[in-house]
Amino acid sequence: MSRLPALSLLLLCSTAIYAQPKVLFDSGRTISSDKYISSLQSEPAPKQKPNIAKLATPSTPEMTVGRVTKRTVSLPYLPSPLFLIGADNVSIQWLSKHRQALIKAGAVGLIVNSASASDLQAVIRAAEGLQVSPASGSDLAKQFNLKHYPVLITRTQIAQ
């Protein structure tokens, strides 16, 4: 019988130690307790600004401009078609030629190679109406054994 009160007291104390109030008073105008206890907490690390120059010039050394052989794949969980392009004339011409079909399919693009921010802007202008982002394609190149771009990846095939 003496264990029950000791256990109850232990649970009560442990709850009081770990319970942290988040609201001081709730009358419909909730006040967060964070501003009152912020001096007790450690200071968060300062956010670092992203390196815009690096973001604007993605590099995928595993991939170059070239011909892609059409092949069948099974990617049933791919949410939408994905295309990989560079900031070169071949990629921009490919994008211009297939832009309407890519828009209709709801394709999303990655710009995997770009030498400068101005080259990146040229691709973005050519891709008007499409969602494109600069990103390294290294992981995709390895996963799908891709050597060249421009390339379109769908649920059933990889093609140019």
Side-chain angles (χ1 to χ4, degrees), residues 7-92:
L7 183 59
S8 298
L9 182 59
L10 182 62
L11 288 174
L12 183 62
C13 289
S14 67
T15 303
I17 291 171
Y18 291 108
Q20 295 181 355
K22 287 294 184 182
V23 177
L24 296 177
F25 177 72
D26 189 5
S27 66
R29 297 182 311 204
T30 303
I31 301 171
S32 174
S33 64
D34 290 342
K35 68 180 181 179
Y36 299 110
I37 60 172
S38 63
S39 62
L40 301 175
Q41 298 174 344
S42 62
E43 292 294 320
K47 292 184 179 179
Q48 294 180 347
K49 293 183 179 180
N51 184 348
I52 300 298
K54 188 173 181 179
L55 291 175
T57 56
S59 176
T60 306
E62 299 86 356
M63 297 181 74
T64 60
V65 177
R67 300 283 303 151
V68 175
T69 304
K70 185 177 180 179
R71 59 188 157 117
T72 303
V73 293
S74 177
L75 303 169
Y77 301 110
L78 186 67
S80 63
L82 176 69
F83 61 93
L84 308 179
I85 56 174
D88 54 87
N89 290 334
V90 173
S91 292
I92 292 173

